[in-house]
Amino acid sequence: MPLLVPPDSVSTDRCTIRRYRLGDGPELARATTASFAHLEPWLPWAQPRQTVEEAVVLVRQFVGRWLLAQDFVLGIWSPDGATLWGGCGFHLRHGPAQDGVAEIGMWIAAEQAGQGLGTHVLQALVEWGFSEWPWLRLVWKCDERNLASRRTAEKAGLQLEGITRGDDIAVDGTRRNTAWYAVLKP
Ligand SMILES: CC(C)(COP(=O)(O)OP(=O)(O)OC[C@H]1O[C@@H](n2cnc3c(N)ncnc32)[C@H](O)[C@@H]1OP(=O)(O)O)[C@@H](O)C(=O)NCCC(=O)NCCS
């Protein structure tokens, strides 16, 4: 089976979405640490302080998995390319890339949140995913109580397919319900 060799980046009028490069570690550490309070309720990986060393290792993993077509993690950058405004990705959590199903994940840095960026990026990922990527179905899932995430999915045109009960563990350790959204290639 040939490895998927996807496009590296897409730019919109508001940001650039691109795969991570060696050297992105310090900016990743800065952005996630500055956003800890905003991310912590919903993302199990958020830490009060991510060190540069930890972020450098993470970036190496992102790059490695990208090259092996195992996972496609992307950064959301300011137009001048200097500041990481968030992260997103096409994740293979529902089968191999050849099956055409990817799950989109996303976080937006605290200082950028609530200004329409998440909706904008999700719309851009859907458009990009159905044009330059081979995706046929894009999935978005979140804790049922994550209203910002749910609203972002709805505003970007994804459809609620259902809510599964007690199927995952929330960040606080309790069982949670999961809201599943998806969009199909037109
Ligand atoms: C979810 C997230 C990606 C959305 O990005 P964003 O840039 O903040 O979203 P937008 O500004 O595009 O807002 C989208 C909608 O959500 C609404 N919203 C934002 N925060 C909200 C909140 N706390 N409660 C309810 N609605 C909220 C906005 O008002 C907007 O809807 P509206 O235009 O009808 O008013 C971002 O808030 C985030 O990183 N959250 C923490 C991590 C996370 O939960 N990631 C998703 C995991 S599935």
Side-chain angles (χ1 to χ4, degrees), residues 134-171:
W135 310 130
L136 304 172
R137 169 179 163 84
L138 290 168
V139 176
W140 174 277
K141 71 179 170 68
C142 61
D143 189 312
E144 181 190 24
R145 298 164 296 185
N146 190 344
L147 300 180
S149 177
R150 295 185 61 171
R151 188 76 192 115
T152 300
E154 284 158 11
K155 288 188 74 181
L158 280 73
Q159 198 175 315
L160 179 66
E161 294 191 331
I163 296 180
T164 45
R165 296 174 301 159
D167 65 318
D168 208 342
I169 298 178
V171 172

Side-chain angles (χ1 to χ4, degrees), residues 36-104:
F36 171 68
H38 166 65
L39 303 178
E40 186 262 337
W42 309 113
L43 299 176
W45 52 259
Q47 311 173 42
R49 184 170 173 270
Q50 184 181 52
T51 66
V52 171
E53 292 73 22
E54 286 166 340
V56 164
V57 171
L58 259 183
V59 166
R60 293 188 78 87
Q61 290 170 348
F62 294 159
V63 171
R65 290 193 201 122
W66 182 287
L67 295 175
L68 294 170
Q70 293 172 342
D71 193 17
F72 304 103
V73 182
L74 296 145
I76 304 163
W77 293 84
S78 58
D80 65 3
T83 310
L84 188 66
W85 280 354
C88 57
F90 292 116
H91 306 298
L92 298 178
R93 294 177 181 152
H94 307 275
Q98 290 75 16
D99 289 0
V101 182
E103 182 178 317
I104 296 179

